[in-house]
Amino acid sequence: MIDKIRIHLADDHQVLIDGMRTLLNTVSNFEVIGFSLDGSTLYDEVTNNQANILILDISMPKKDGIEVIKEFAKKGYPCKVIILSSYDDLKIIKEVMKLGASGYLTKQCAGENIVEAIQAVANGEEYFCKSVREKIFNSATKDNSKLNKENATIDSILTGREVEIITLIALEHSGKEISEKLFISTNTVETHRKNIMKKLKAKNTISLVKFAIKNKLIKS
C-alpha cells in the first residue's frame, strides 16, 4: 500500500466536501490534497495534484461522474476511483466498475465505510458498501454469467486453493484476512487472485462473486 495516500474529493456540495475532508485528515496516512465542485476540469486537477485516490460523485454539474470516469478511462487513470453516490442502481454500479472504478459507496454509508474503502482500494482491492453488495448478490442468480463454459465444473477450472480464495473473496474477506485464515502471505493471496481473474476472464470482484454464487460456493 502507498505510504501516504493523497485524496481528491469531487462533489457538488461544499458541506459534504468539508465534512469528508475533516474526517479523512484525521487518518495519519491520508492527505486530502484537493477538491472539485463540478466535473469540467476534474481530470486536469487530479493529474496536476497527483492524487492516488479520487472520491467521485455521480451527480456532478457541467460534467457528471459517468462522463468524468469515461474521460479517465479514455486518457488513462492517474489515480484509483471510488464512486460516492446517492444512487445504488445496479446498472450504474456495473457501468462504472466496467469503466474501471475500484469501489462504490452510497452516501448513506459513507461515514462509516469511507476510511476502510480508501485503505482497501489503495491496497489494490475493490470495495463495495453493504447495500451495493446486496444489490450485486440479489442480481447474481438472475444473471447468466459468461465466466465459464456451459458444461465445465469448478474442479476443471480452479485448483482447490483457488476455490478457497474465491469463496473468501465472495464472503467479503480482505486480502489480509484471507492470508491470516489460510496461513499464506498477502502477496500469495494476490497472486492467486490474479490467476483466478485470468482463468475466469473476470474484470472485477463483481464477476468473482457471481461465479461463486452460480457455483454454490456461497449463498445469494
Side-chain angles (χ1 to χ4, degrees):
M1 183 163 57
I2 303 164
D3 291 335
K4 195 73 171 180
I5 302 172
R6 297 164 58 84
I7 302 162
H8 189 99
L9 305 173
D11 193 282
D12 61 336
H13 293 93
Q14 185 69 56
V15 173
L16 186 145
I17 292 285
D18 293 341
M20 195 69 67
R21 183 165 50 184
T22 299
L23 170 64
L24 297 180
N25 278 333
T26 63
V27 182
S28 60
N29 66 324
F30 287 5
E31 181 183 5
V32 178
I33 42 79
F35 70 90
S36 303
L37 296 174
D38 66 66
S40 60
T41 58
L42 185 52
Y43 182 90
D44 290 337
E45 290 166 355
V46 171
T47 301
N48 290 337
N49 64 29
Q50 298 183 331
N52 308 125
I53 301 285
L54 168 64
I55 310 298
L56 174 64
D57 185 17
I58 292 292
S59 301
M60 296 282 287
K62 297 185 180 179
K63 183 181 289 185
D64 66 33
I66 298 291
E67 292 178 287
V68 169
I69 203 169
K70 284 181 178 178
E71 181 180 13
F72 275 52
K74 182 178 179 180
K75 294 181 178 179
Y77 277 70
C79 65
K80 294 180 180 179
V81 177
I82 298 173
I83 299 298
L84 180 62
S85 177
S86 300
Y87 308 107
D88 62 356
D89 182 88
L90 190 63
K91 184 177 179 181
I92 295 175
I93 295 167
K94 288 182 176 180
E95 182 174 4
V96 296
M97 298 309 292
K98 185 176 180 180
L99 287 169
S102 297
Y104 199 110
L105 302 175
T106 62
K107 290 186 176 180
Q108 291 82 354
C109 72
E112 57 185 303
N113 294 121
I114 188 66
V115 172
E116 183 180 6
I118 291 171
Q119 290 171 334
V121 169
N123 201 32
E125 302 173 18
E126 291 177 328
Y127 190 95
F128 308 96
C129 67
K130 183 178 178 181
S131 65
V132 172
R133 290 196 302 266
E134 288 175 350
K135 286 277 185 178
I136 296 168
F137 292 161
N138 291 337
S139 71
T141 54
K142 300 176 183 178
D143 189 2
N144 293 323
S145 176
K146 297 180 181 178
L147 292 175
N148 59 341
K149 296 179 181 179
E150 186 172 352
N151 296 319
T153 63
I154 295 177
D155 290 341
S156 70
I157 302 170
L158 303 175
T159 66
R161 177 63 87 189
E162 288 169 345
V163 170
E164 289 179 311
I165 288 175
I166 193 174
T167 301
L168 291 170
I169 290 172
L171 290 172
E172 306 165 29
H173 290 279
S174 68
K176 182 180 179 181
E177 289 170 339
I178 295 172
S179 71
E180 292 172 352
K181 186 175 288 288
L182 299 181
F183 302 101
I184 56 179
S185 70
T186 53
N187 286 339
T188 300
V189 173
E190 183 59 23
T191 297
H192 281 303
R193 183 178 182 276
K194 289 178 179 178
N195 289 339
I196 293 167
M197 300 280 283
K198 184 176 180 180
K199 286 182 178 183
L200 301 182
K201 297 181 180 179
K203 294 183 178 180
N204 49 47
T205 302
I206 293 176
S207 298
L208 297 184
V209 171
K210 289 180 180 180
F211 180 89
I213 292 174
K214 180 179 179 180
N215 289 279
K216 300 181 180 179
L217 297 178
I218 64 170
K219 294 181 179 180
S220 60

